[in-house]
Amino acid sequence: MSSTAHGHADAPHAPVFTGGALARLEALYPKYPTRQACLLPALWIVQEERGWISEPAMAEVAEVLGLTPAYVKGVVTFYTMYHTHPVGRHFIQVCTTSPCNLCGAEAVVQALLKETGCRELGATSPDGRFTVAEVECLGACGFATPIMINDDFLESVTPERVAGLLQGYK
Amino acid sequence: MGYPHPRHPKETPVLSTHFGDAGARTFDGWVQRGGYAALKQALTMTPEAVVEEVKASGLRGRGGAGFPTGLKWSFMPKGDGKPHYLVCNADESEPGTFKDREIMRWTPHQLLEGCAIAAYAIGAERVYIYIRGEFTEPLRVVGAAVEEAYAKGALGANVFGSGKRIDIVVHRGAGAYICGEETAMMNSIEGRRGNPRIKPPFPAQAGLFAMPTTINNVETLSAVPHILNRGAAWYKGLCLSNPKSTGTKLISVCGHVQRPGNYEVTMGTPMRELLFDMCGGMKPGRTLKAVIPGGSSVPIMTAAEAEDCLLDYEGVVARGSMLGSAGMIVMDDSTDIVYQIWRLARFYAHESCAQCTQCREGTAWTTKILERILAGRGKEADLQLLLDLSENMTGKTICVLSDSCAAPIVSGIQKFRGEFDAYLSGARQPALAMA
């Protein structure tokens, strides 16, 4: 199961699950009756370490947990929060589902695209700093419009506030 | 409280008493506010007695289905020798709903105490709290609270010296509305794609890891310590209308009101009082046009239906919709109803797990038809087509996601037909451009 078999001509995959990352994964084993149940947490560890989940990383997770790479890929691609390609340093999610839509979310999207320099939703800015993604309900409907920047959950975002908010993310 | 606004006198604060009070987050802070007395009391009762108390209170599932909680707990087998599980559904993704996030980030120990009591009552030694991946603050706050609870002996192998074991594991979701469906949630915990399961078997017979399991919502579990502390009779007495709907409900009001937020009201409170007194009514110069009361997966209500509606399970049904999760989306006269229904259809199409043909194809096709209508290319026959699709999407699939998509469509066409006709006839300019 070499990494080149997955089509990556780049440097061979450096294992994620060594040292601290491996310790974090092993700490989970007693919490679930199966290794398979550690899959979602394991994928979060990969994304925390590498910023995204490559196919070689999926193969590594499969090996560590006793699953197949195809199975792991099936799970990764089901969940929207796992990135299967590199994204900007700061990943922005903006909700546009009806409750936020009613409160001007689409204007917030336009302001984000303008201020980040991202050409369109899902694209990364030319300087690699931001990616802006449109997402479904973030569960903060009374505080419209919420956005997430990496793990930061920001509420009550308006187009006027966008430029100022982005300042803190270099 | 009408959090983030000041508490309104017409609210009945029980679960929301400490929203906004950072001191309530810590173990010691929670104990000072009366916390963990209920768990200690529960441990002196038999599990069956705890179940009976919750049954007597009339508590019903606050995640949307409204199933009697004590009854659900009583489905768990007794003396079967298998490991039992409690799953706390903290996946809160129903559009319009934002109450569980507040419970978790302000009063995590309220939830943990409720989970521990429920686990004890159903014979479970392990609880999984499934928190949606986007809820980074609740994940942090609840995670810290779990560690504190272990340190203080409220969780672990010997809870408060009772000899009973209760463990809590926080499991992070990764972005999937469908994982809020109880069987999809169990699959997700097991490390699978979040596809719902066919029932039967029901979770109490074969659930998580094929073992007897009960799944309860955050708000439901958070009510349990209060029921133990103040008694089932007190909770049952919190009832302004139908005796089958007791206690309080956190209503998440959003959209076009002056003061959106979470309002805790006694069951049976008039919707009119909530919208016009507590939330301050519409914005200046605006009138109420429509309300989707239960989170988005319920029929849309007209202003007339909303103004005459009591907020409990039966009251909302009597006005043609459902209380559901009580994520109340308020729309004023500036709203393009067809556009918002299209946006909701897009939501369901995106979130479909794609197992069932009617849902996978139906939600996507519904979205495309609505897009065409909004782009000025709709045909008269499109409305009947939408209704036919909705019929196929209702009651015929493994889970109710497609039924949830159909609800705003069918009710929208029925009650706001004029808005659709305006697009079809060209009287209204297209709202979208199509390639």
Side-chain angles (χ1 to χ4, degrees):
Chain A
M1 220 176 336
S2 73
S3 55
T4 51
H6 297 276
H8 279 260
D10 300 325
H13 171 72
V16 175
F17 291 102
T18 61
L22 181 60
R24 287 199 325 270
L25 178 64
E26 288 176 341
L28 295 172
Y29 290 163
K31 300 189 180 196
Y32 299 91
T34 66
R35 286 290 144 90
Q36 183 174 350
C38 299
L39 179 53
L40 268 74
L43 293 170
W44 277 119
I45 293 174
V46 173
Q47 187 152 297
E48 278 152 28
E49 294 288 314
R50 298 289 162 87
W52 63 295
I53 305 175
S54 65
E55 289 200 352
M58 292 181 210
E60 185 192 346
V61 170
E63 178 110 31
V64 170
L65 296 179
L67 305 165
T68 65
Y71 181 85
V72 171
K73 183 167 183 178
V75 172
V76 170
T77 52
F78 182 85
Y79 296 95
T80 61
M81 293 187 78
Y82 295 133
H83 307 311
T84 53
H85 55 81
V87 295
R89 272 196 310 287
H90 307 294
F91 186 76
I92 302 177
Q93 302 179 69
V94 52
C95 172
T96 61
T97 311
S98 292
C100 288
N101 207 293
L102 289 167
C103 296
E106 291 185 356
V108 175
V109 169
Q110 293 311 311
L112 281 166
L113 289 175
K114 176 164 170 281
E115 295 296 331
T116 57
C118 295
R119 209 171 18 96
E120 58 186 0
L121 286 166
T124 299
S125 56
D127 59 5
R129 198 171 150 206
F130 294 112
T131 304
V132 181
E134 183 182 31
V135 297
E136 300 296 342
C137 183
L138 282 174
C141 323
F143 302 84
T145 298
I147 71 173
M148 291 190 70
I149 305 182
N150 300 330
D151 281 349
D152 295 339
F153 197 105
L154 308 170
E155 297 167 352
S156 306
V157 178
T158 59
E160 300 71 38
R161 289 187 63 207
V162 167
L165 286 172
L166 296 181
Q167 297 260 338
Y169 297 90
K170 300 297 172 200
Chain B
M1 49 200 319
Y3 190 77
H5 306 283
R7 182 177 302 153
H8 191 278
K10 289 189 173 169
E11 287 186 77
T12 309
V14 177
L15 276 64
S16 63
T17 306
H18 301 289
F19 282 7
D21 173 6
R25 278 192 190 125
T26 63
F27 183 92
D28 291 341
W30 190 244
V31 167
Q32 269 162 35
R33 288 157 179 74
Y36 286 109
L39 175 56
K40 289 180 177 161
Q41 183 203 330
L43 292 166
T44 67
M45 300 160 69
T46 62
E48 291 74 26
V50 177
V51 173
E52 284 312 304
E53 189 74 359
V54 171
K55 263 192 190 166
S57 73
L59 176 65
R60 291 164 68 168
R62 298 289 194 244
F67 192 87
T69 307
L71 184 59
K72 186 190 263 194
W73 289 4
S74 74
F75 291 156
M76 294 290 276
K78 322 282 184 293
D80 55 315
K82 290 180 179 170
H84 290 183
Y85 293 107
L86 176 72
V87 173
C88 169
N89 189 332
D91 191 58
E92 186 164 71
S93 307
E94 181 69 32
T97 317
F98 51 100
K99 57 181 176 79
D100 296 336
R101 189 173 77 113
E102 301 301 330
I103 293 173
M104 287 189 279
R105 67 183 183 145
W106 292 114
T107 55
H109 287 283
Q110 177 172 224
L111 174 61
L112 297 188
E113 189 176 3
C115 287
I117 296 170
Y120 175 70
I122 64 167
E125 290 190 337
R126 184 172 288 170
V127 182
Y128 289 97
I129 302 182
Y130 186 108
I131 302 182
R132 66 178 291 185
E134 300 87 342
F135 273 5
T136 46
E137 189 186 1
L139 280 159
R140 235 179 12 249
V141 172
V142 172
V146 168
E147 281 181 25
E148 268 197 301
Y150 271 99
K152 302 280 185 167
L155 292 172
N158 186 10
V159 174
F160 290 138
S162 64
K164 293 289 173 196
R165 168 182 280 279
I166 301 172
D167 282 318
I168 295 186
V169 177
V170 175
H171 185 93
R172 186 182 185 188
Y177 162 76
I178 190 57
C179 287
E181 198 278 346
E182 65 176 6
T183 62
M185 180 168 283
M186 293 189 290
N187 274 342
S188 188
I189 295 171
E190 291 181 15
R192 306 178 194 280
R193 290 168 67 94
N195 291 341
R197 303 174 181 174
I198 294 175
K199 295 186 282 199
F202 289 87
Q205 273 57 59
L208 189 61
F209 305 113
M211 296 295 135
T213 305
T214 296
I215 301 97
N216 285 130
N217 172 259
V218 167
E219 188 186 354
T220 312
L221 290 166
S222 300
V224 170
H226 301 280
I227 291 169
L228 274 268
N229 278 332
R230 298 166 76 169
W234 158 77
Y235 195 79
K236 198 160 178 210
L238 291 172
C239 172
L240 293 173
S241 179
N242 195 303
K244 291 198 286 212
S245 288
T246 61
T248 62
K249 181 77 187 76
L250 278 167
I251 316 242
S252 298
V253 188
C254 59
H256 296 155
V257 287
Q258 298 262 20
R259 293 191 289 271
N262 281 303
Y263 293 83
E264 191 168 7
V265 301
T266 302
M267 284 288 196
T269 297
M271 194 186 286
R272 197 177 55 240
E273 257 177 46
L274 171 66
L275 294 181
F276 296 106
D277 297 341
M278 300 186 223
C279 297
M282 304 297 111
K283 302 203 174 139
R286 291 286 172 211
T287 54
L288 179 65
K289 186 176 199 178
V291 176
I292 312 184
S296 58
S297 303
V298 301
I300 300 176
M301 298 173 77
T302 60
E305 287 167 339
E307 275 155 13
D308 182 30
C309 180
L310 296 180
L311 287 167
D312 64 20
Y313 295 105
E314 294 73 23
V316 185
V317 167
R319 288 290 169 272
S321 184
M322 295 184 335
L323 183 63
S325 62
M328 193 158 299
I329 307 169
V330 182
M331 304 183 187
D332 70 23
D333 55 305
S334 71
T335 306
D336 180 344
I337 295 281
V338 183
Y339 191 91
Q340 292 306 325
I341 290 177
W342 165 72
R343 187 57 188 83
L344 283 177
R346 255 183 72 196
F347 166 81
Y348 292 107
H350 184 259
E351 299 294 341
S352 171
C353 82
Q355 276 190 108
C356 304
T357 302
Q358 301 95 311
C359 179
R360 183 184 66 246
E361 305 303 325
T363 55
W365 194 359
T366 293
T367 305
K368 286 187 185 136
I369 295 169
L370 287 165
E371 220 161 86
R372 216 179 44 239
I373 292 175
L374 286 164
R377 296 204 223 158
K379 299 173 281 235
E380 188 61 39
D382 282 341
L383 296 188
Q384 189 55 50
L385 182 52
L386 284 172
L387 292 173
D388 289 344
L389 285 173
S390 291
E391 160 103 33
N392 279 331
M393 284 157 60
T394 303
K396 297 167 179 135
T397 46
I398 293 176
C399 86
V400 294
L401 187 146
S402 60
D403 305 54
S404 302
C405 182
I409 308 283
V410 173
S411 57
I413 292 173
Q414 207 172 34
K415 300 177 187 182
F416 294 94
R417 180 61 187 261
E419 307 238 350
F420 286 86
D421 286 341
Y423 276 109
L424 292 174
S425 70
R428 184 160 192 168
Q429 288 306 298
L432 291 175
M434 260 179 90

